[in-house]
């Protein structure tokens, strides 16, 4: 019963982040699965991809209805990351768990610091295929290697590199997350990683419901309040994981 409650609570928080911020949920999913639910790093990164894929699809439908998904840019961005995501996912399955944990904590800390910086305002205009491809390839590699959707990196890239307005960057990032996560899952399919569906199923269900609430909450909060709160939580988790891996 305790495991079920923890899975539901963690899933709701992660869904809230995905729905409200267009990413970031999987960065908390991995440590939640490891430290709260007893998964190994390899199991957690694979399970996280399952959870984030299904949750992102749910959040994506809502943002698409509101016209906040730039399909051409998102598909180009995601297409460039498919092969790197699959290659990195295959490599990650053969690395020591401590290496994955340290790499994850460092990336999470960098993402938290990036989220705390003042937001840059995007502008509409032509998108360079080369810039979209380079940014998408890097994001795909991170997704495959660390088992995260990459939304915490996708939103800043879509705003800063591809000059999308913030609201459209959030919606478009969910398309990128979905495609990258599916590619990374495909690379891990034959790795034989055990998945505890009794935990993953309620975790995912709570995350899906949380994504809808996150989308509504994003319309009410001003000044990046949700983003700052999430960034501080993420930074604390990253520091904890790094210390735990090194000691």
């Amino acid at each position: 019963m305790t495991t079920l409650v923890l899975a539901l609570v963690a899933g709701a928080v992660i869904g809230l982040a995905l729905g409200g911020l267009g990413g970031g949920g999987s960065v908390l999913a991995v440590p939640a699965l490891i430290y709260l639910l007893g998964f190994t790093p390899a199991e957690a990164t694979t399970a996280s991809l399952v959870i984030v894929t299904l949750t992102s699809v749910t959040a994506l439908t809502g943002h698409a209805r509101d016209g906040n998904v730039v399909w051409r840019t998102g598909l180009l961005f995601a297409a460039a990351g498919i092969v790197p995501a699959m290659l990195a996912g295959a490599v990650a399955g053969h690395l020591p768990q401590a290496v994955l944990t340290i790499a994850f904590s460092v990336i999470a800390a960098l993402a938290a610091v990036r989220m705390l910086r003042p937001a840059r305002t995007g502008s509409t205009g032509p998108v360079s295929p080369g810039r979209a491809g380079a940014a998408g390839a890097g994001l795909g590699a991170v997704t495959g290697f660390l088992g995260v959707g990459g939304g915490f990196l996708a939103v800043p890239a879509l705003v800063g590199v591809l000059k999308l307005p913030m609201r459209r960057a959030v919606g478009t990032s969910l398309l990128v997350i979905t495609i990258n996560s599916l590619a990374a899952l495909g690379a891990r399919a034959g790795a034989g990683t055990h998945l505890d569906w009794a935990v993953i199923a309620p975790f995912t269900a709570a995350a899906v419901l949380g994504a809808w609430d996150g989308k509504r909450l994003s319309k009410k909060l001003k000044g990046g309040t949700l983003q700052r709160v999430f960034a501080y939580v993420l930074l604390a988790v990253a520091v904890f994981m790094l210390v735990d891996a090194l000691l």
Side-chain angles (χ1 to χ4, degrees):
M1 181 61 71
T2 300
T3 300
L4 176 60
V5 171
L6 288 174
L8 291 172
V9 172
V13 171
I14 285 150
L16 191 70
L18 270 170
L21 301 175
S26 55
V27 182
L28 286 183
V30 172
L33 290 166
I34 293 173
Y35 294 104
L36 296 180
L37 299 169
F39 282 51
T40 67
E43 292 169 348
T45 52
T46 302
S48 171
L49 288 170
V50 175
I51 295 164
V52 172
T53 298
L54 295 175
T55 308
S56 296
V57 169
T58 301
L60 175 63
T61 57
H63 283 275
R65 279 202 304 268
D66 292 343
N68 290 326
V69 179
V70 185
W71 294 96
R72 180 178 179 276
T73 299
L75 290 172
L76 176 63
F77 194 88
I82 291 176
V83 173
M86 296 184 70
L87 292 176
V91 170
H94 300 286
L95 293 176
Q97 295 183 2
V99 173
L100 291 176
T101 302
I102 291 172
F104 182 91
S105 60
V106 170
I107 291 294
L110 292 174
V113 172
R114 175 62 184 82
M115 293 174 76
L116 289 171
R117 293 171 57 188
R120 298 169 61 182
T121 303
S123 59
T124 57
V127 176
S128 166
R131 296 174 71 189
L139 182 65
V142 171
T143 299
F145 187 70
L146 299 180
V148 298
F152 63 97
L153 296 175
V155 172
L158 289 169
V159 173
V161 178
L162 304 185
K163 308 303 181 185
L164 291 184
M166 179 58 75
R167 192 170 294 278
R168 287 193 169 190
V170 169
T172 304
S173 76
L174 291 165
L175 173 62
V176 177
I177 292 168
T178 301
I179 295 173
N180 280 348
S181 297
L182 284 171
L185 270 175
R188 292 171 182 238
T193 304
H194 170 72
L195 294 178
D196 188 349
W197 291 104
V199 174
I200 295 173
F203 197 119
T204 304
V208 167
L209 294 175
W212 287 108
D213 290 334
K215 181 178 177 296
R216 289 194 293 267
L217 185 61
S218 68
K219 295 181 178 180
K220 298 178 181 179
L221 293 179
K222 297 181 180 180
T225 302
L226 182 61
Q227 178 170 310
R228 286 196 298 272
V229 170
F230 179 81
Y232 284 121
V233 172
L234 177 58
L235 185 59
V237 170
V239 171
F240 172 80
M241 290 184 70
L242 184 60
V243 171
D244 183 65
L246 294 175
L247 292 180

